[in-house]
Amino acid sequence: MEKAIAVIVILLICALGWSCFAQQTRPLPVYPQGKQSAGPRSSDRERANKLYELARKENRALQWNSCLAAKAMMRARRMVTERYFDHEDPKTGRNPVWNSVNLCVPANRKRSSVAAGENLAKGLDTAANIHEALMKSPTHRKNIMDRRFNNIGVGCYDSICVELFAGF
């Protein structure tokens, strides 16, 4: 089972040029709760769609998965509202990517044969710049190019974008 885990360390070069490591919990600025909506803004949706298009240019096997996209957006929103940036949930110490991906596995597939991965990006940069930074990082690039993954969902919320990858 451990061999099947494809969770990768994430590096992102933020808009101002400093490095943000996904393994390090970094508090985000406090945003007024009244201004946040339940769903993504149109600019967040556009950024997520563009990130998908850019990943798809790199790996033609990747197909948009609405379930993964919804889980990715919820994950990004949660990190913003709870002010953390990390693969591991600060409450549980575990990466929720497997739970998210397993909820999206079609009923006719075996969950034990599913491959999953996650890229996290932080910063209010353009999708093109975020994608370029991801492709410069060997671990991010590996997720994007991995032929085991044939499904992708991308969700952005405010300053965080999440790419969820699955192979099923």
Side-chain angles (χ1 to χ4, degrees), residues 126-138:
T126 66
N129 288 342
I130 291 169
H131 180 74
E132 182 181 345
L134 291 172
M135 290 303 289
K136 286 181 180 178
S137 165

Side-chain angles (χ1 to χ4, degrees), residues 25-160:
T25 302
R26 297 192 184 220
L28 299 174
V30 177
Y31 296 100
Q33 294 294 321
K35 292 187 178 182
Q36 293 177 346
S37 63
R41 298 176 306 221
S42 62
S43 60
D44 290 337
R45 281 192 301 272
E46 290 169 12
R47 195 161 37 141
N49 289 338
K50 183 66 175 169
L51 281 169
Y52 162 69
E53 291 170 7
L54 292 166
R56 177 114 165 87
K57 283 183 182 177
E58 305 289 348
N59 180 352
R60 301 299 288 171
L62 294 173
Q63 298 297 317
W64 182 259
N65 183 294
S66 296
C67 180
L68 289 175
K71 300 297 182 199
M73 197 288 289
M74 290 178 0
R75 178 126 164 80
R77 182 175 187 263
R78 183 168 182 218
M79 280 192 267
V80 169
T81 58
E82 295 182 12
R83 297 186 305 273
Y84 75 96
F85 180 68
D86 200 325
H87 286 288
E88 293 180 359
D89 182 307
K91 293 176 184 171
T92 66
R94 301 181 78 188
N95 186 326
V97 70
W98 280 103
N99 291 338
S100 296
V101 169
N102 278 331
L103 291 171
C104 296
V105 175
N108 63 343
R109 307 283 184 176
K110 291 183 179 181
R111 288 189 173 146
S112 61
S113 64
V114 172
E118 175 182 64
N119 284 348
L120 302 179
K122 178 180 170 186
L124 293 172
D125 209 341
T126 66
N129 288 342
I130 291 169
H131 180 74
E132 182 181 345
L134 291 172
M135 290 303 289
K136 286 181 180 178
S137 165
T139 53
H140 298 96
R141 181 182 182 85
K142 182 178 177 184
N143 269 349
I144 293 168
M145 301 302 291
D146 195 328
R147 291 295 179 173
R148 292 178 303 157
F149 300 142
N150 56 2
N151 288 270
I152 183 174
V154 184
C156 296
Y157 190 87
D158 195 50
S159 63
I160 295 181

